[in-house]
Amino acid sequence: MRHDGDHGRWRQGNPGGHDGGTPHPPTPHPHTPAPGARPSGRHVARDTPPSSPPATDTWHRPSPRTLLSHCSWLGAPLGSFVLAVLATGGRPGARVWISLAVVAVVFATLTALGSLSWLRTHYRVTADALELRTGLLTRRTRSVPLHRVRNVDLTAHPVQRALGLVVLRAGTGGHGQVSLDALSRADAERLRAELLARAGRTDADDPVLSTADPRWLRYAPLTFWVFGGVLAAAGAVWRVLDGMGVEPWRIGFVRRAFDEFGNSALWVTVPLLILAVTVLGTIGSVVLYAETWWRYRLERTDADTLRVRHGLLTTRSVSIERARLRGVVLREPLLLRTGGGATVRAVAGGLGDREENRKRSTLLPPAPRSEGERVCAGVLGEHVDTDGLRPHPPVARRRRVVRVLLWCVLPPTVVLAVLGALLTPVLLYCALGWLLVSTPVACALADDAYRALGHALRGRWLVIRSGSLTRDTVLLDRGAVLAWTFTRTPFARRAGVVTATAAVAAGEEAYRIRDMAAAEAAAFANAATPGMLREFLVPVGEGR
């Protein structure tokens, strides 16, 4: 293989694969159960929307209850006002009243603008397109051909649910999306059925791929946000009170808590504080998990569409077109992996930009790893073996050990040592303690990251695994790979390794095989996508 620099990128017009513009070949009909799926006898009595009415040129307007749902933003400022009143013993200061007056003025302004916007918003479904008219001073009409509709999602936050409203989003692939805020639930279900029917999709009774299990709640606390969430919430409350002129440290119970615990021994105070944060974080994570994934269900709505539905207060329904599905990612963060859990994400196009894709691509919440493997098999239509992957050269282990020591162990040690030399010898002992404790932990994580490295070809699938703090096993359709990029830094060139990146028009858009042997990188990429690198390869012994 020849190239002029350390970065090479080669493209080819899809030799028997995917060229980015041609829809992905349809998967087998979902009535044939995939290996690993639940027994085919399990069918779902789904809520079938009413039959879609014929096309009409009549313009419709969102539900008038939309104006009430827009008032939900008042919850935060009014809650802050009540909190300030309680914190000041019922005697709020001038800044609190000024803030309340500003909220009232903003509320009146936004309500007026919202009323005008509602009056000027209309939509209709013609024989060929979904049309939406919006705008106050400048009228804007957006028309989306029905054959371009890839998915139709329904979402409702608690206020909308109480009012019987739903936000409908029709995705058109790429970054295109039409949003109707908000429709009555009956109208939204009817419009969703009509859009999918006009786009060539029909609902059908199919077995679900996965449903919620209350036992999965045990995986909710297995995340670092158990601690970060509590600190973030405390910081938000502190900022709100401080912004309204309330000094949190002068509140009675806060001052008494500081006086009592501050005078106690630190060896008692610090463990109690950590225990309190852990308990609050655990409770919060369980509540958040239950609210987000209540009534979770992953199902096939027809031969072309997967749908994920979940939510207690805020309901969410995300549809993924199977023709745009390029694979799945089995994700195992460190704490979740320790508890035997995993999550599953879809590698799919048509879900918006990268941030939207990350939010909407989750197929399975934290659940047992066996359930994750079963969902992967059901979504892909076949079981893909992820064991026995090709290992990476031993030099990859050394590179990870060096990185973690240089970036995680050494900087805090140096900072503490310098401060100890300048200020107090106590920090010198802290530097030594950090060095002794963090070094074996860092080396263990580096060794775990090396053992996680692996890649292989399994039929039509490219399997890539890497990571320690977050371990990802990517099952990628080989026909979806559009290009390969090979990257070698000076240190990597000296070590004889290279990072190969598969470019895909879906998901994260780039999936890396890190630190694979340089001698086999091009041959492996060529085997994964036959013919794509043919012109850059030379037989062994030639070109010398």
Side-chain angles (χ1 to χ4, degrees), residues 402-470:
V402 171
R403 285 194 201 118
V404 75
L405 291 178
L406 286 178
W407 295 105
C408 298
V409 176
L410 189 58
T413 302
V414 172
V415 170
L416 290 174
V418 172
L419 293 177
L422 297 176
L423 302 177
T424 171
V426 174
L427 295 179
L428 293 176
Y429 293 104
C430 293
L432 179 61
W434 170 260
L435 182 64
L436 295 177
V437 172
S438 62
T439 298
V441 173
C443 291
L445 289 175
D447 184 70
D448 181 67
Y450 168 74
R451 287 186 282 107
L453 289 175
H455 59 279
L457 300 179
R458 297 285 190 264
R460 59 179 288 203
W461 306 103
L462 168 61
V463 183
I464 306 171
R465 188 175 62 201
S466 64
S468 180
L469 295 181
T470 300

Side-chain angles (χ1 to χ4, degrees), residues 105-418:
V105 172
V106 172
F107 169 72
T109 303
L110 293 182
T111 300
L113 293 176
S115 300
L116 292 175
S117 177
W118 175 77
L119 289 172
R120 301 287 283 174
T121 300
H122 299 82
Y123 71 93
R124 69 178 179 180
V125 180
T126 66
D128 302 315
L130 168 64
E131 297 181 359
L132 176 64
R133 284 183 180 176
T134 57
L136 298 178
L137 300 178
T138 302
R139 296 291 287 166
R140 178 181 302 172
T141 301
R142 185 173 184 182
S143 179
V144 178
L146 294 181
H147 71 271
R148 292 191 58 196
V149 174
R150 303 304 185 194
N151 51 70
V152 182
D153 302 339
L154 303 179
T155 307
H157 57 64
V159 175
Q160 290 170 336
R161 289 192 65 189
L163 296 173
L165 300 176
V166 173
V167 177
L168 182 144
R169 294 182 176 88
T172 60
H175 303 328
Q177 181 172 275
V178 175
S179 180
L180 292 176
D181 184 9
L183 309 177
S184 67
R185 177 166 291 277
D187 289 342
E189 291 284 359
R190 188 180 301 110
L191 182 58
R192 178 185 182 277
E194 183 176 358
L195 291 176
L196 293 178
R198 300 283 178 78
R201 300 167 182 81
T202 56
D203 285 342
D205 288 332
D206 284 295
V208 295
L209 297 177
S210 183
T211 56
D213 189 329
R215 291 174 295 181
W216 294 357
L217 287 172
R218 69 181 186 271
Y219 295 104
L222 299 181
T223 170
F224 292 107
W225 277 104
V226 166
F227 303 98
V230 174
L231 298 179
V237 173
W238 189 283
R239 286 194 301 272
V240 168
L241 294 177
D242 183 67
M244 302 187 72
V246 178
E247 298 177 338
W249 58 87
R250 293 188 177 181
I251 300 176
F253 72 91
V254 175
R255 185 171 60 251
R256 288 193 298 272
F258 272 110
D259 291 340
E260 293 182 13
F261 287 99
N263 294 328
S264 302
L266 290 179
W267 64 272
V268 175
T269 303
V270 173
L272 286 178
L273 180 62
I274 295 176
L275 178 61
V277 170
T278 302
V279 172
L280 290 176
T282 300
I283 295 174
S285 63
V286 171
V287 171
L288 182 62
Y289 185 101
E291 192 283 326
T292 304
W293 296 105
W294 183 265
R295 294 184 297 184
Y296 155 80
R297 183 164 69 181
L298 172 64
E299 62 183 344
R300 301 185 184 97
T301 58
D302 54 46
D304 301 315
T305 309
L306 291 169
R307 183 167 64 186
V308 185
R309 297 197 291 180
H310 57 93
L312 176 60
L313 299 179
T314 300
T315 59
R316 304 168 183 86
S317 174
V318 178
S319 300
I320 300 176
E321 188 184 23
R322 299 190 71 188
R324 301 179 70 87
L325 185 69
R326 302 293 178 257
V328 294
V329 178
L330 183 69
R331 176 159 292 180
E332 302 170 87
L334 180 60
L335 293 182
L336 188 59
R337 185 169 74 249
T338 303
T343 64
V344 178
R345 294 179 178 270
V347 180
L351 297 180
D353 57 25
R354 181 169 296 186
E355 187 63 28
E356 281 292 316
N357 196 297
R358 289 172 180 172
K359 293 179 181 178
R360 301 170 62 195
S361 63
T362 301
L363 298 178
L364 179 72
R369 192 180 192 280
S370 58
E371 180 72 7
E373 293 176 340
R374 198 187 61 77
V375 166
C376 289
V379 170
L380 299 180
E382 61 179 301
H383 175 73
V384 181
D385 185 15
T386 58
D387 296 327
L389 302 184
R390 186 179 303 183
H392 288 214
V395 70
R397 184 202 303 268
R398 186 189 70 200
R399 286 169 57 81
R400 275 149 183 75
V401 171
V402 171
R403 285 194 201 118
V404 75
L405 291 178
L406 286 178
W407 295 105
C408 298
V409 176
L410 189 58
T413 302
V414 172
V415 170
L416 290 174
V418 172

